[in-house]
Amino acid sequence: MEKLGRNDHCWCGSGKKYKGCHMALDEKIHRYELAGHIVPSRDLLKSREQIEGIRESSRINIAVLDEVARMIGPGVSTQEIDSLVYEITTKMGAIPAPLNYEGYPKSVCTSINEVVCHGIPSPDRILVEGDIVNVDVSTLYKGYFSDSGRMFCIGNVGEEKEKLVRVAKECMELGLAQVKPWGFLGDMAQAVNDHARANGYSVVVDIGGHGVGLEFHEEPFVSYVTKAGTEMLLVPGLVFTIEPMVNMGTSEIYIDDKDNWTVYTQDGRPSAQWEITVAVTEDGCEVLTY
Ligand code: MF3
Ligand code: CO
């Protein structure tokens, strides 16, 4: 990191002197670093303008999911969901971030039942009563990324699956309740994992959330199985996703070796995932996508 004098212009571009701008914050972060904590680098802390950009992207992201909620149901193919996501996103002047991302062939992920995440929409997969499906929408608008996902129950899914979907949402919400400045990512993770385990479920270890905003996937990697008081220090301006994958059975997963994307539970039992994008603020946090 660049070493600035008290009277130099602040690194943030405000034009103010460093001592009247980010100096106190930098020093506070540095004290945590000296105490052995993982701290965010400067480039991960978004400015007010950047957060406003992510907020605008998030508005489109949510609007797309609201439209999906209106049309999803028995008899709808996952390809129809993909086409709708593409049309609405582009009509609003944005780009579906998954499309061509590292070779991903579609505009959205649709993950049904034992599919944990990264399910690829297909005209051959028609939703039927009893399916639980995660629709994960990621949006790029004017250079800013947003990311969120919801679960949908198709008709009557039965008590077991209904509970899994509900508890997965509670996990995300309990994690969110831990997000505040000068806490740690692990505080959020532990709240998620404790609730999943208390219900007899497991949380996927190998895939997690991520910083988001200027890139689709930024640092930090966001685990949901780490301990309170560990992992990255939460500093105002940090933006990341909370998106734990909660499995009814084992946390073990595998990737489809034919498409190299679709992630399944090892035991074939169902998995559920809700996702939000959240920004750490001076006095708590702001949920950008819900
Ligand atoms: N939307 C996923 C996430 O929450 C990432 C999907 S990558 C894709 O991070 F290429 F499959 F779209
Ligand atoms: Co994400």
Side-chain angles (χ1 to χ4, degrees):
M1 239 192 265
E2 195 186 342
K3 189 81 187 129
L4 285 180
R6 301 170 54 79
N7 291 310
D8 289 339
H9 288 304
C10 188
W11 53 262
C12 76
S14 63
K16 288 194 232 169
K17 285 183 179 173
Y18 184 45
K19 65 182 176 190
C21 197
H22 277 87
M23 192 174 89
L25 185 81
D26 283 354
E27 286 176 352
K28 185 165 181 179
I29 294 171
H30 191 55
R31 285 197 293 277
Y32 279 92
E33 193 175 16
L34 290 176
H37 290 291
I38 302 166
V39 301
S41 57
R42 264 177 203 165
D43 56 314
L44 294 181
L45 305 180
K46 273 75 179 171
S47 67
R48 203 180 295 274
E49 293 72 31
Q50 288 170 331
I51 298 219
E52 179 51 30
I54 304 168
R55 207 180 272 125
E56 277 185 36
S57 174
S58 299
R59 281 194 202 109
I60 296 173
N61 180 280
I62 295 166
V64 171
L65 265 169
D66 286 345
E67 286 300 321
V68 169
R70 273 183 208 111
M71 60 83 83
I72 201 166
V76 173
S77 76
T78 51
Q79 178 55 53
E80 288 172 76
I81 298 172
D82 187 76
S83 302
L84 181 92
V85 167
Y86 180 82
E87 270 160 38
I88 296 175
T89 306
T90 51
K91 207 170 276 174
M92 296 182 87
I95 297 167
L99 192 57
N100 302 320
Y101 173 78
E102 294 185 3
Y104 188 77
K106 297 284 176 176
S107 296
V108 66
C109 298
T110 50
S111 304
I112 306 168
N113 301 330
E114 75 281 9
V115 175
V116 172
C117 64
H118 303 167
I120 302 175
S122 157
D124 301 330
R125 183 54 167 100
I126 295 168
L127 296 173
V128 295
E129 171 137 8
D131 284 337
I132 58 168
V133 51
N134 163 282
V135 179
D136 187 340
V137 174
S138 314
T139 308
L140 169 59
Y141 181 66
K142 293 187 179 168
Y144 294 105
F145 289 86
S146 54
D147 198 0
S148 77
R150 298 180 198 163
M151 293 298 297
F152 297 96
C153 292
I154 307 302
N156 187 357
V157 300
E159 249 173 63
E160 267 205 311
K161 280 177 165 177
E162 210 166 273
K163 182 184 167 195
L164 177 69
V165 169
R166 173 174 58 77
V167 170
K169 189 175 193 185
E170 290 166 358
C171 285
M172 187 260 288
E173 285 167 346
L174 288 165
L176 173 64
Q178 294 295 320
V179 178
K180 54 182 178 309
W182 316 110
F184 298 93
L185 268 182
D187 306 347
M188 179 280 297
Q190 175 143 15
V192 167
N193 199 18
D194 285 355
H195 190 60
R197 293 177 68 123
N199 283 280
Y201 302 147
S202 68
V203 177
V204 171
V205 177
D206 300 331
I207 310 176
H210 49 93
V212 64
L214 309 184
E215 303 285 344
F216 191 174
H217 295 111
E218 301 176 4
E219 292 286 305
F221 172 75
V222 179
S223 168
Y224 307 99
V225 294
T226 49
K227 293 285 167 220
T230 71
E231 300 296 307
M232 190 176 278
L233 177 70
L234 300 178
V235 175
L238 192 66
V239 180
F240 60 92
T241 67
I242 303 180
E243 51 174 317
M245 284 144 256
V246 180
N247 293 356
M248 197 179 278
T250 169
S251 64
E252 298 296 306
I253 55 172
Y254 69 92
I255 300 174
D256 192 311
D257 58 14
K258 290 186 289 297
D259 67 25
N260 275 315
W261 279 105
T262 315
V263 179
Y264 298 90
T265 56
Q266 190 74 57
D267 61 7
R269 299 186 75 194
S271 179
Q273 179 188 31
W274 293 77
E275 176 178 18
I276 54 174
T277 297
V278 58
V280 182
T281 61
E282 307 277 337
D283 53 7
C285 67
E286 177 182 347
V287 179
L288 297 166
T289 57
Y290 204 164

